[in-house]
C-alpha cells in the first residue's frame, strides 16, 4: 500500500532535466527483409520521470531523507503524489535524490521516479 507524500514538504511537482519518458512495452523482432515485427510485451509499463524542486531548506532535505529511508524503505515502496503532467494523484516509486546547494542554506532537489501503472 502506498503512503502519501508528506504535507509538510513542498511537492516535487516540477519536471526537471529529462522530464518524462513514456514506458516502452513493445517487443521488436528484426526480419531478414522488410520492417521489424512489433508486438506488446507487457500490458503495464511504468513511465520514467525526473521530478524537481528548486529550493528545499536544510530541514526539508533532512525530512525528505528520513521519509525516503524509513517510510519508503529506501525507495522500494510506492508513494502517492500528484502527477505534474495531469494533476492527478498517482503511485510513484522514488529513486535516490540528487541535491545541489544553491546558496543561502537552500538546496535544489532532483528525484528520478517511476509512475506505476
Amino acid at each position: 500500500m502506498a503512503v502519501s507524500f508528506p504535507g509538510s514538504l513542498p511537492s516535487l511537482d516540477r519536471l526537471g532535466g529529462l522530464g518524462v519518458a513514456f514506458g516502452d512495452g513493445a517487443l521488436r523482432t528484426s526480419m531478414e527483409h522488410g520492417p521489424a515485427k512489433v508486438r506488446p510485451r507487457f500490458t503495464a509499463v511504468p513511465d520514467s520521470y525526473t521530478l524537481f524542486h528548486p529550493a528545499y531548506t536544510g530541514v526539508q532535505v533532512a525530512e525528505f531523507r528520513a521519509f525516503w529511508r524509513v517510510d519508503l524503505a529506501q525507495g522500494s515502496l510506492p508513494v502517492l503524489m500528484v502527477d505534474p503532467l495531469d494533476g492527478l494523484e498517482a503511485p510513484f516509486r522514488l529513486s535516490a535524490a540528487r541535491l545541489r546547494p544553491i546558496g543561502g542554506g537552500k538546496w535544489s532537489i532532483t528525484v528520478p521516479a517511476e509512475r506505476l501503472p
Side-chain angles (χ1 to χ4, degrees):
M1 180 169 170
V3 297
S4 293
F5 193 77
S8 58
L9 290 175
S11 63
L12 299 168
D13 58 359
R14 295 170 177 91
L15 296 172
L18 300 175
V20 177
F22 296 124
D24 183 7
L27 177 63
R28 289 167 178 77
T29 306
S30 298
M31 299 288 105
E32 193 171 315
H33 299 287
K37 276 190 176 179
V38 181
R39 66 178 173 84
R41 180 187 304 195
F42 307 109
T43 56
V45 180
D47 295 332
S48 297
Y49 282 58
T50 302
L51 303 172
F52 173 76
H53 194 280
Y56 264 37
T57 65
V59 171
Q60 290 168 330
V61 167
E63 184 179 349
F64 178 83
R65 186 180 196 184
F67 171 70
W68 184 79
R69 284 189 170 163
V70 177
D71 296 349
L72 300 184
Q74 297 183 9
S76 63
L77 300 175
V79 58
L80 292 175
M81 297 175 53
V82 173
D83 185 330
L85 282 182
D86 59 20
L88 301 175
E89 192 172 64
F92 283 82
R93 190 172 21 225
L94 306 181
S95 295
R98 291 185 298 267
L99 300 169
R100 187 174 57 86
I102 57 173
K106 302 251 182 180
W107 298 79
S108 72
I109 183 169
T110 303
V111 182
E114 293 178 311
R115 180 180 173 166
L116 304 174

